Amino acid sequence: QVQLVESGGGLVQAGGSLRLSCAASGKIMVVRDINWYREAPGKQREFVARILQNEDTDYSDSVKGRFTIFRDDAKKMSYLQMNSLDPEDTAVYYCTMDATVVGFPLQTYWGQGTQVTVSS
């Protein structure tokens, strides 16, 4: 149906920046909400950022002012610009899209995740 592929993760020093990308493929008719989550070792998966279809955005308190979420509906992509990275941001980052696919109802699709490691 829909495949999401995240990329852009890697190793960065504290204070640095990374830009994550999430690319969707499949017979997508409409993408509604796009979310980014992260899961750090030994911790529960947590919400990071959201961008609605009308491009309203929402962020967790821990990343507000440092991270920015974007979407490009024409390319069926989302981006997460991460600045002023801290070792506490180390996690696997996941993208989700609420999408309508030809022949299927609206549902949430998940990517496989991309690792972000911030060294002190």
Side-chain angles (χ1 to χ4, degrees):
Q1 300 175 24
V2 175
Q3 283 192 327
L4 301 185
V5 178
E6 298 98 335
S7 60
L11 175 64
V12 64
Q13 287 189 330
S17 298
L18 281 175
R19 185 180 180 95
L20 305 184
S21 298
C22 175
S25 61
K27 297 182 179 180
I28 299 169
M29 297 175 63
V30 175
V31 176
R32 298 190 186 279
D33 298 356
I34 300 173
N35 294 270
W36 286 87
Y37 292 86
R38 66 186 181 186
E39 186 170 344
K43 296 184 179 180
Q44 287 189 332
R45 190 171 296 182
E46 65 172 353
F47 167 78
V48 174
R50 172 183 299 120
I51 184 165
L52 306 182
Q53 194 173 9
N54 66 2
E55 304 211 8
D56 283 349
T57 58
D58 186 26
Y59 299 92
S60 68
D61 288 343
S62 61
V63 307
K64 198 172 294 183
R66 299 188 298 123
F67 290 13
T68 306
I69 187 171
F70 300 93
R71 62 188 292 161
D72 183 335
D73 288 339
K75 295 182 179 179
K76 297 185 178 57
M77 293 197 66
S78 176
Y79 307 93
L80 186 67
Q81 178 67 41
M82 307 187 297
N83 298 328
S84 302
L85 283 162
D86 183 272
E88 291 292 314
D89 296 316
T90 295
V92 177
Y93 284 72
Y94 298 90
C95 166
T96 78
M97 290 190 183
D98 296 342
T100 303
V101 177
V102 175
F104 294 88
L106 180 71
Q107 62 186 53
T108 301
Y109 297 92
W110 285 77
Q112 84 291 346
T114 185
Q115 176 70 46
V116 171
T117 303
V118 184
S119 63
S120 57

